[in-house]
Amino acid sequence: MKQFLRSGDLFIWLTGVFLGICLLMISGLLLLIGLQGIAQFHPREVHFIEYQDQEGNRLLAFGQIYSSEQIPPDVLQQKGFRGASQREARRYLVRVGNRDIFGEDFKWIMGPTVTRDTLLANALVLEREENGNAYGILTTLRAPRGQHFETELDAWRAFERFHPLVRSLVHEVRDIEKREMGETNDAIRSLRLELRLMEYELEQGRLQPDQFQEAQRHIDAEVSKLELVLARQQDRIDSLRMHLAEYEIGLRVYAPEGEERVRIPLASIVRAYKPNIMSVSQTIAFYGEKVWEFVSDDPREANAEGGVFPAIFGTVLMVLLMSLAAVPFGVLAALYLREYAKQGLLLRIVRIAVNNLAGVPSIVFGMFGLGFFVYFVGGGVDRMFFPERLPNPTYGTGGILWASLTLALLTVPVVIVATEEALAAIPRGIREGSYALGATKWDTIRRVVLPSATPGIMTGTILAMARGAGEVAPLMITGVVKLATEMPFDSTFPFFHLDRKFMHLGFHIYDVGFQTSNVEANIGMVYTTALLLIIIILLLNLTAITLRARLRRKYRLVGF
Amino acid sequence: MEIVTELQQTLAETMVPGNLDTDRHSQPKIVVDELNLWYGETQALYDITISLPERRVSAFIGPSGCGKSTFLRVLNRMNDLIDDVRLTGRVLIDGKNIYDGSVDPVTLRRHVGMIFQKSNPFPKSIYENVAYGQRLLGKRKKAELDEIVERSLVQAALWDEVKDRLNEPALGLSGGQMQRLCIARALAVEPDILLMDEPSSALDPIATAKIEELMFELKEKYTIVIVTHNMQQAARVSDVTAFFYLGRLIEFGETRKIFTNPTKKQTEDYITGRFG
Ligand SMILES: Nc1ncnc2c1ncn2[C@@H]1O[C@H](COP(=O)(O)OP(=O)(O)OP(=O)(O)O)[C@@H](O)[C@H]1O
Ligand SMILES: [Mg+2]
């Protein structure tokens, strides 16, 4: 035993065990998020459940089972299900949908009360623009020019025929609304701004009243022309909507007390499928379609459904902007600290301060960002360059630029520390070799030191990106929003709008998961978004790591 | 005593008789006058006065830690880069004190090249290593650079081994090749003086022989100062030899004389291997 302790094997074992525990926890986390995230898009079967309430009344439920759990024995006793076996003693969370009719999306059903549970072949799931899913059986379909389809089969065929057409019209409406009318509105707004600027100059006495009136007449004319355009666009939308309203389906839904019939406009249906009779290939196609929707589409239903594309875009753009700011700053600061500053007490204090900066809670950085970047710098920019828009802020409010800079501040210590280490690791001999050939200090830094330190700098960048991409708290007060109507990058000049608010996956998780009353419906989305966030950070890091590996190979540099 | 006879033999084989005559006519290239040097509080060099001949090989020998490297680094002001180094005295190169306020150490180092005890190629390609000094001088033309790189590598007896892999990383070369690369790199800026700090300490006999051969060729154009622990090497390649001990210059003179008939007991003890 003594021998064993002496040999240090125990220590090796301990290190191994601890490493194992760490790996286990990390892989457990990833597995949980991965599985839950992936399961989100699975087309669950629709159950037709008959059960009884306390008084023995027969009730119905029609929907997808989201989860189930064991009922504790005492609850079981209390409710009087003495006879129930352990296996049956579960309760099921059923998504019955039809929120607009029943009020609630989810319902718990006690296993022992279930009298019948069947899977109907023609059970239909409708994903809608609003009010969540609808579950039911298709009965009729009504289309323009008196077309009626009265049997389930006919209606379904008609649905498959008309639905793509209807959706494309819906998209057209949306396009007119968002893009065309948006552009017209922008033009009107900028004309008004121009006028406002002139008023401002008039007040300042830099413009003659007659000049002003002339300009005002001109602008008014332009504006009324544009308003005409706007009205025409509105007309087009109205007529399209009228046409769309003529497509409608009839659905038999199951309220607890019995069946009901409802009509649902075709235009509001995003997707319809019959999960109980899907073949494997259909399931896969469905799955792919959902994943694609998730990464490429805008969110709908208060972010609970649809895609997260704006959030992906916002996250990636923010991380890139942040790196663009943090890396040069950190590298320059580290260069000064390591190469130029006189070693001594002051430098030591500065170094300790920098290291500690990395440990400051991120919300504190957020507050600083809000106070300094948003109010001070942004407000200053507004007063300097956009006085005519005040009191409406342009840069004096949260936006992707300020959020990125705040995060850059937060991550710059990481870059500094990593760069300093990389610089310190460069052998003295290499520098001396450079000096001996008649290089100045700057030559040496530029041609030898910095290239050799690049892999280390990249390591710092990777760490900073990973840290920055996962931060949420400071963003919440510097420019992130639940739903951004405009992206920070679009087709209107100057293409990058860094003053705009943006969406972020981390905040999206928080918002979808915890800022809602409909937790059960959203929890899947939370996991999926978390998975996506992890994947994106992984991809960003992977890119940087490959780049670094390539550099190392190129120069045979030692690793840091 | 056996060692002494062996050395005398080596000397007899390698030294050209005419050399000694010309030596008398050789101008002093480097003159050091009353040099003292301190690292912080500790003095590393004491009262060194010496003059090294132009276009000759001067060898510095002495036990480890006696200050050979330190003295060598005085000659191209490499010690400037170390904090806390202080020195007194004068170092004249071509009659000009290099520690004069008007002398720019960067320019000085272009004329006084150095090859280090530990080879230190840059983490760049072989080509870029050799072209480095010329690039510093602002040379950009590919053709000119190509020519300089080739000439320097040929001079350093490395060309044949690397001519097909000039763009590969220098750190992939063998230790001996790296050392010759550092020599080529130093030659590429065409200095007047070459300071070599144990250039062959890490090399096998063949590579060592190549470097020694190289020194014979180079001394036609360059003034060479070499630090070595290898007595045979000092005897073979150098024209004059200086023996250092504990930071002092003990004895200095023609190599033949130092090795055959040293005047100081310490020198004799060191050469014959009784200490050091
Ligand atoms: N940067 C330094 N700071 C302080 N002392 C130093 C420094 N470099 C060298 N010394 C000291 O100066 C003395 C001479 O060192 P130097 O390197 O010149 O010896 P050397 O003769 O070249 O030895 P070797 O043959 O082992 O290379 C030694 O005592 C050494 O400890
Ligand atoms: Mg030495």
Side-chain angles (χ1 to χ4, degrees):
Chain A
M1 188 63 206
K2 225 177 190 169
Q3 185 76 42
F4 175 70
L5 279 179
R6 259 269 255 349
S7 68
D9 282 355
L10 180 70
F11 183 68
I12 299 176
W13 272 97
L14 267 179
T15 52
V17 167
F18 277 95
L19 177 68
I21 292 175
C22 287
L23 288 181
L24 212 69
M25 289 197 309
I26 293 169
S27 51
L29 172 88
L30 289 182
L31 207 70
L32 174 79
I33 292 177
L35 287 181
Q36 296 269 20
I38 288 169
Q40 159 77 353
F41 299 132
H42 184 70
R44 294 169 215 259
E45 288 167 337
V46 176
H47 292 253
F48 180 80
I49 298 169
E50 288 175 36
Y51 65 107
Q52 291 172 328
D53 67 2
Q54 237 97 344
E55 284 87 47
N57 298 321
R58 177 177 167 277
L59 296 176
L60 294 178
F62 191 68
Q64 294 168 310
I65 296 178
Y66 267 64
S67 68
S68 70
E69 62 185 38
Q70 198 81 42
I71 311 173
D74 49 325
V75 178
L76 214 57
Q77 297 242 323
Q78 219 176 14
K79 302 236 169 171
F81 304 125
R82 225 161 314 232
S85 73
Q86 247 347 61
R87 193 183 59 79
E88 287 170 325
R90 300 185 71 80
R91 54 182 189 172
Y92 298 90
L93 182 65
V94 184
R95 183 172 191 180
V96 292
N98 303 330
R99 191 160 68 221
D100 44 339
I101 316 166
F102 307 151
E104 253 186 315
D105 243 335
F106 284 84
K107 181 176 274 177
W108 282 105
I109 293 178
M110 295 286 187
T113 64
V114 174
T115 53
R116 213 160 73 111
D117 175 7
T118 42
L119 298 174
L120 300 179
N122 48 10
L124 188 68
V125 182
L126 300 177
E127 284 177 20
R128 297 181 293 180
E129 298 268 3
E130 278 170 349
N131 293 321
N133 288 356
Y135 301 94
I137 310 275
L138 190 63
T139 52
T140 59
L141 190 140
R142 201 164 57 78
R145 293 192 302 282
Q147 301 181 73
H148 281 262
F149 304 89
E150 296 293 349
T151 67
E152 202 265 344
L153 195 66
D154 285 348
W156 179 241
R157 284 211 188 110
F159 179 87
E160 286 185 320
R161 183 147 56 86
F162 288 126
H163 187 245
L165 187 95
V166 166
R167 286 306 288 175
S168 73
L169 288 180
V170 169
H171 286 130
E172 197 181 324
V173 169
R174 208 164 284 162
D175 190 59
I176 296 173
E177 255 173 355
K178 250 179 109 164
R179 205 175 47 79
E180 293 185 22
M181 293 179 77
E183 275 166 21
T184 321
N185 272 321
D186 274 351
I188 293 177
R189 203 176 316 139
S190 66
L191 279 172
R192 294 232 163 95
L193 263 175
E194 212 174 294
L195 192 66
R196 180 76 197 85
L197 191 67
M198 284 179 185
E199 264 171 49
Y200 182 76
E201 296 205 327
L202 184 71
E203 282 161 28
Q204 305 278 309
R206 270 177 285 174
L207 205 69
Q208 298 305 315
D210 51 329
Q211 277 176 311
F212 174 72
Q213 266 151 23
E214 166 68 29
Q216 192 177 28
R217 255 198 307 284
H218 179 70
I219 287 176
D220 281 346
E222 285 288 306
V223 168
S224 46
K225 238 186 273 171
L226 282 171
E227 272 167 350
L228 225 64
V229 173
L230 209 58
R232 267 206 302 281
Q233 285 163 341
Q234 190 59 52
D235 281 350
R236 262 170 70 206
I237 289 179
D238 289 344
S239 73
L240 274 172
R241 286 228 170 99
M242 217 124 89
H243 177 68
L244 282 173
E246 291 180 50
Y247 294 91
E248 197 181 70
I249 62 164
L251 196 68
R252 186 163 74 233
V253 301
Y254 296 92
E257 294 79 22
E259 24 178 291
E260 279 175 30
R261 275 163 199 280
V262 294
R263 296 158 179 283
I264 297 174
L266 212 53
S268 74
I269 297 168
V270 177
R271 183 182 291 112
Y273 57 99
K274 295 179 172 174
N276 294 0
I277 51 165
M278 263 192 188
S279 68
V280 175
S281 58
Q282 277 171 323
T283 311
I284 293 171
F286 176 82
Y287 202 97
E289 195 187 315
K290 287 286 274 188
V291 170
W292 176 244
E293 181 194 23
F294 182 66
V295 296
S296 69
D297 237 352
D298 286 349
R300 52 193 161 81
E301 294 243 29
N303 294 352
E305 296 280 342
V308 292
F309 178 72
I312 298 176
F313 187 84
T315 308
V316 172
L317 183 64
M318 190 216 60
V319 170
L320 292 182
L321 282 175
M322 176 200 76
S323 314
L324 224 60
V327 172
F329 250 87
V331 170
L332 290 180
L335 268 181
Y336 185 81
L337 285 179
R338 181 59 64 178
E339 304 285 328
Y340 289 104
K342 188 129 187 63
Q343 307 292 319
L345 183 68
L346 185 67
L347 187 72
R348 279 226 296 286
I349 294 173
V350 169
R351 204 165 273 152
I352 290 171
V354 166
N355 282 326
N356 279 326
L357 216 56
V360 171
S362 50
I363 190 73
V364 176
F365 278 100
M367 283 163 56
F368 177 79
L370 182 70
F372 180 71
F373 289 125
V374 177
Y375 291 148
F376 182 70
V377 182
V381 168
D382 277 359
R383 275 190 295 282
M384 290 275 284
F385 300 106
F386 308 104
E388 75 280 3
R389 299 191 195 177
L390 288 172
N392 287 342
T394 310
Y395 279 93
T397 174
I400 191 163
L401 180 64
W402 302 141
S404 305
L405 289 182
T406 305
L407 279 196
L409 218 59
L410 181 100
T411 51
V412 96
V414 181
V415 181
I416 293 181
V417 170
T419 307
E420 268 213 82
E421 262 161 32
L423 293 175
I426 295 169
R428 191 189 175 81
I430 289 188
R431 295 165 196 262
E432 288 192 337
S434 169
Y435 289 123
L437 291 169
T440 60
K441 185 157 199 166
W442 171 233
D443 285 330
T444 305
I445 288 176
R446 192 165 54 107
R447 292 170 187 264
V448 178
V449 171
L450 269 185
S452 309
T454 315
I457 295 171
M458 299 281 287
T459 305
T461 311
I462 292 167
L463 290 175
M465 281 188 345
R467 166 114 205 252
E471 271 311 336
V472 177
L475 302 180
M476 285 163 60
I477 50 179
T478 52
V480 96
V481 283
K482 183 183 163 67
L483 190 68
T485 45
E486 296 169 309
M487 302 266 266
F489 174 83
D490 62 21
S491 57
T492 50
F493 188 80
F495 309 121
F496 277 99
H497 305 276
L498 300 183
D499 55 319
R500 284 190 187 162
K501 310 231 184 245
F502 67 109
M503 289 175 73
H504 183 274
L505 285 172
F507 183 70
H508 198 79
I509 292 171
Y510 171 72
D511 176 60
V512 171
F514 310 103
Q515 297 294 94
T516 168
S517 52
N518 206 356
V519 178
E520 285 98 348
N522 292 0
I523 196 76
M525 195 71 169
V526 168
Y527 279 115
T528 326
T529 314
L531 182 67
L532 186 67
L533 180 58
I534 290 174
I535 290 174
I536 283 178
I537 295 175
L538 210 71
L539 282 180
L540 283 171
N541 286 355
L542 227 57
T543 323
I545 287 170
T546 345
L547 221 69
R548 180 179 64 182
R550 194 176 289 169
L551 277 174
R552 275 196 191 141
R553 248 201 323 280
K554 189 160 165 210
Y555 299 121
R556 299 252 178 133
L557 293 167
V558 283
F560 295 111
Chain B
M1 277 334 265
E2 285 157 80
I3 296 170
V4 175
T5 29
E6 192 190 305
L7 278 172
Q8 281 168 346
Q9 268 172 3
T10 328
L11 281 171
E13 284 161 16
T14 51
M15 291 197 74
V16 189
N19 255 4
L20 293 178
D21 290 323
T22 42
D23 257 339
R24 278 182 212 115
H25 303 294
S26 174
Q27 294 293 312
K29 177 82 174 172
I30 305 170
V31 177
V32 180
D33 186 20
E34 292 280 316
L35 183 94
N36 288 281
L37 182 141
W38 291 262
Y39 285 115
E41 292 300 303
T42 45
Q43 189 162 2
L45 296 175
Y46 298 84
D47 289 334
I48 296 192
T49 299
I50 194 170
S51 74
L52 305 172
E54 187 168 21
R55 291 194 200 154
R56 293 288 177 274
V57 178
S58 312
F60 292 174
I61 58 172
S64 192
C66 67
K68 306 178 297 289
S69 297
T70 303
F71 184 52
L72 204 64
R73 293 162 62 92
V74 165
L75 303 180
N76 68 343
R77 292 187 60 172
M78 215 54 178
N79 287 325
D80 289 16
L81 303 171
I82 302 173
D83 297 335
D84 271 7
V85 170
R86 193 161 54 82
L87 57 79
T88 63
R90 295 190 308 157
V91 179
L92 309 175
I93 291 181
D94 293 329
K96 184 154 176 53
N97 185 4
I98 60 167
Y99 282 91
D100 199 81
S102 65
V103 172
D104 173 21
V106 172
T107 329
L108 170 76
R109 289 187 202 120
R110 256 172 226 155
H111 297 291
V112 187
M114 186 165 205
I115 286 135
F116 294 81
Q117 197 162 350
K118 250 181 79 191
S119 73
N120 54 354
F122 303 130
K124 295 171 180 289
S125 67
I126 294 170
Y127 183 96
E128 283 305 321
N129 260 277
V130 183
Y132 187 86
Q134 289 295 338
R135 286 208 194 276
L136 290 178
L137 293 170
K139 191 153 279 174
R140 291 247 174 69
K141 292 212 190 72
K142 180 92 173 83
E144 285 176 43
L145 280 176
D146 283 352
E147 198 233 300
I148 290 169
V149 168
E150 176 168 354
R151 178 160 43 79
S152 311
L153 284 170
V154 168
Q155 270 185 312
L158 190 61
W159 175 251
D160 289 334
E161 285 158 72
V162 300
K163 62 170 182 274
D164 300 323
R165 44 193 275 214
L166 289 175
N167 290 318
E168 282 176 33
L171 293 173
L173 293 173
S174 78
Q177 289 171 329
M178 282 198 228
Q179 191 60 282
R180 275 177 283 150
L181 180 69
C182 292
I183 295 175
R185 189 172 75 181
L187 295 176
V189 286
E190 304 191 325
D192 294 342
I193 301 172
L194 260 185
L195 309 174
M196 302 178 146
D197 197 345
E198 298 185 43
S200 52
S201 62
L203 304 186
D204 68 285
I206 297 170
T208 306
K210 273 190 185 158
I211 286 183
E212 287 177 11
E213 225 172 90
L214 175 66
M215 273 186 265
F216 272 113
E217 281 167 30
L218 292 178
K219 76 176 178 186
E220 311 223 319
K221 274 174 75 186
Y222 302 94
T223 302
I224 297 175
V225 185
I226 173 174
V227 171
T228 179
H229 280 291
N230 181 335
M231 294 307 117
Q232 273 90 353
Q233 183 174 58
R236 277 196 300 267
V237 301
S238 70
D239 301 297
V240 293
T241 298
F243 172 61
F244 288 83
Y245 183 53
L246 294 179
R248 287 172 206 278
L249 175 62
I250 303 297
E251 190 167 353
F252 172 60
E254 282 172 18
T255 300
R256 176 195 282 269
K257 186 167 166 305
I258 298 273
F259 278 91
T260 53
N261 190 12
T263 53
K264 297 272 168 50
K265 174 122 185 8
Q266 287 153 318
T267 317
E268 188 178 338
D269 286 349
Y270 182 71
I271 291 172
T272 53
R274 250 168 256 157
F275 77 82

